Amino acid sequence: MDRDNQLKEAPSSLVDPFGRTIDYLRLSVTDRCNLRCTYCMAEDMTFLPRQQILSLEELRDLALAFVELGIKKIRLTGGEPLVRRDIIKLVRSISNINGLEEITMTTNGMLLPKMAQQLRQAGLARLNISVDSLKPTKFREMTRNGDLSLWYEGIVAAKKANFTKIKLNAVVLAGFNDDEVIDLAHFAVSNEMDISFIEEMPLGSMSTHDRSKTQVSSANIREKLETKFHLIDSVETTGGPSRYSNVVGSTSKIGFISPMSNNFCESCNRVRMTAEGRLLLCLGNEHSADLRSVMRSHPGDQDLLKNEISKALKSKPERHYFDPNKIDIVRFMNMTGG
Ligand code: SAM
Ligand code: SF4
């Protein structure tokens, strides 16, 4: 088929071979980070050279192409998105795209004291802020260098900036922070925030712990929480491996993200872009398309870009199979875009 015919056939919505409509993009803006969480990356990381990372213009062109193809929600992530130079400019340019319903971000919160207000003003509606421990020593241990008091300052700044919603994210590891799930939930509820508890995924191998020994299932976390909170299942879903419960007597929700114990792949609605421009079709598989080379070989050709995205979607796998005893996926989470 010649290129003109291919372009005519590019669909205006993204539906994969299993009938799933993809309307959610996680866009990684950097692989770099100001922390080194033990479950996410090695202590001694080599980051990508800057020229391999997508430029601000390339990120905006990609976002536009995806929105024109039917993406409704974009989450900026990384690495740590707030260490990316000109991130505020990027938020502003993406939030102005017609047809995009929501732009959100996942951050470790360390730079929020300086940036929360500007992010809100640039159009960011919601924020996910990660935290795995409310004990300063444990926080430092799990992040390798994080300062919990700075994290608290970030929360105060985010609340002051009036985001429509703030959700906390905690990865739960047996023997590290599984004794804190109730305290973390209390913190969220008493500050009128939501919180999600995440099962650890075997992305990249770790020197600090054996992932097969630190697994804690969502069912186990929920059982602990139910000793203190009355949880009622919510019909709300964001697609993918998360399920939410309302905390009775509060405005908060508790989410259980269970990529290991229950992946809900049949309702997957998302794809991910890595910081170097690889479209990853599934977190637990390596199927991908190199969109950076498409953009760099044909700068400004948005039709071609959209066509390549639609074509790539045909290879979205039906599901993932994670096994904590095996590291099938060697890329770390900071490379993947969480
Ligand atoms: N730096 C930001 C942060 O920490 O929020 C955004 C990127 S981080 C990779 C996104 C999310 O992925 C965080 O909530 C983090 O806790 C989670 N994460 C990192 N490695 C993980 C792993 N191996 N399994 C499950 N979740 C992980
Ligand atoms: Fe950085 Fe986020 Fe990974 Fe922690 S989880 S090392 S904050 S990218």
Side-chain angles (χ1 to χ4, degrees):
M1 200 188 306
D2 65 29
R3 189 165 146 231
D4 283 350
N5 278 333
Q6 276 182 14
L7 293 180
K8 272 185 220 130
E9 289 194 357
S12 60
S13 75
L14 295 171
V15 180
D16 80 356
F18 304 96
R20 297 171 294 194
T21 298
I22 307 304
D23 58 9
Y24 180 11
L25 171 69
R26 293 203 174 181
L27 184 57
S28 175
V29 299
T30 180
D31 63 333
R32 289 164 198 256
C33 190
N34 44 5
L35 298 181
R36 295 284 183 277
C37 302
T38 51
Y39 50 79
C40 175
M41 55 167 91
E43 184 160 22
D44 191 14
M45 289 291 286
T46 308
F47 295 109
L48 292 164
R50 285 191 200 284
Q51 65 275 19
Q52 287 188 23
I53 298 284
L54 296 182
S55 68
L56 239 44
E57 293 69 28
E58 287 167 334
L59 287 164
R60 149 90 195 177
D61 285 352
L62 259 178
L64 181 63
F66 273 103
V67 172
E68 287 178 356
L69 285 168
I71 291 289
K72 303 264 180 281
K73 173 173 162 185
I74 295 181
R75 173 175 299 285
L76 301 178
T77 181
E80 171 50 39
L82 295 182
V83 304
R84 173 75 199 238
R85 192 146 29 105
D86 288 334
I87 183 71
I88 303 289
K89 212 166 137 189
L90 182 70
V91 169
R92 194 174 302 116
S93 73
I94 293 182
S95 66
N96 282 334
I97 296 177
N98 263 339
L100 181 66
E101 289 174 7
E102 190 173 49
I103 172 169
T104 67
M105 179 182 281
T106 303
T107 170
N108 61 30
M110 293 291 131
L111 292 169
L112 284 177
K114 281 197 254 169
M115 300 173 84
Q117 195 73 42
Q118 297 172 69
L119 285 169
R120 185 71 186 104
Q121 281 163 358
L124 199 78
R126 298 197 300 139
L127 213 47
N128 281 8
I129 307 176
S130 301
V131 62
D132 305 313
S133 174
L134 296 171
K135 298 176 187 163
T137 318
K138 180 66 68 183
F139 184 87
R140 186 170 289 283
E141 183 195 344
M142 289 187 74
T143 57
R144 290 202 181 93
N145 59 9
D147 175 356
L148 185 63
S149 58
L150 199 55
W151 182 85
Y152 279 122
E153 280 177 41
I155 291 287
V156 171
K159 291 205 81 171
K160 207 165 144 205
N162 263 324
F163 287 93
T164 54
K165 195 169 249 185
I166 301 175
K167 180 162 78 75
L168 304 181
N169 274 348
V171 180
V172 183
L173 269 62
F176 285 83
N177 63 345
D178 55 333
D179 58 336
E180 282 195 66
V181 294
I182 291 172
D183 291 347
L184 285 161
H186 265 305
F187 180 85
V189 170
S190 55
N191 285 288
E192 299 177 330
M193 297 184 285
D194 296 343
I195 183 164
S196 282
F197 292 100
I198 307 173
E199 293 174 348
E200 181 189 19
M201 289 176 279
L203 300 174
S205 76
M206 294 295 140
S207 58
T208 46
H209 60 281
D210 173 351
R211 295 207 203 252
S212 66
K213 303 213 164 70
T214 49
Q215 290 291 309
V216 185
S217 71
S218 290
N220 185 304
I221 297 167
R222 187 181 175 118
E223 204 178 303
K224 273 192 185 153
L225 293 172
E226 281 179 331
T227 63
K228 296 286 176 200
F229 301 95
H230 183 187
L231 302 181
I232 296 190
D233 288 344
S234 158
V235 287
E236 183 198 334
T237 169
T238 52
S242 40
R243 291 298 176 267
Y244 292 90
S245 297
N246 293 305
V247 181
V248 174
S250 83
T251 53
S252 297
K253 286 191 185 61
I254 296 186
F256 299 94
I257 304 186
S258 46
M260 305 301 292
S261 64
N262 198 344
N263 54 47
F264 299 110
C265 292
E266 66 282 0
S267 59
C268 183
N269 62 347
R270 63 199 60 187
V271 290
R272 294 175 163 81
M273 281 299 310
T274 69
E276 88 271 43
R278 194 152 66 99
L279 171 60
L280 263 184
L281 296 151
C282 171
L283 192 57
N285 286 282
E286 290 298 353
H287 302 66
S288 68
D290 176 8
L291 298 183
R292 184 186 64 196
S293 59
V294 175
M295 288 190 284
R296 294 198 177 164
S297 58
H298 295 83
D301 191 341
Q302 289 291 102
D303 284 337
L304 177 66
L305 182 57
K306 284 195 278 184
N307 208 54
E308 292 299 319
I309 294 170
S310 303
K311 234 166 58 189
L313 209 73
K314 294 200 174 89
S315 59
K316 185 168 166 66
E318 184 173 11
R319 53 162 299 166
H320 66 252
Y321 297 89
F322 279 135
D323 177 350
N325 294 301
K326 287 207 309 246
I327 307 297
D328 291 332
I329 302 291
V330 292
R331 75 184 127 74
F332 288 106
M333 190 66 167
N334 73 305
M335 286 300 303
T336 304

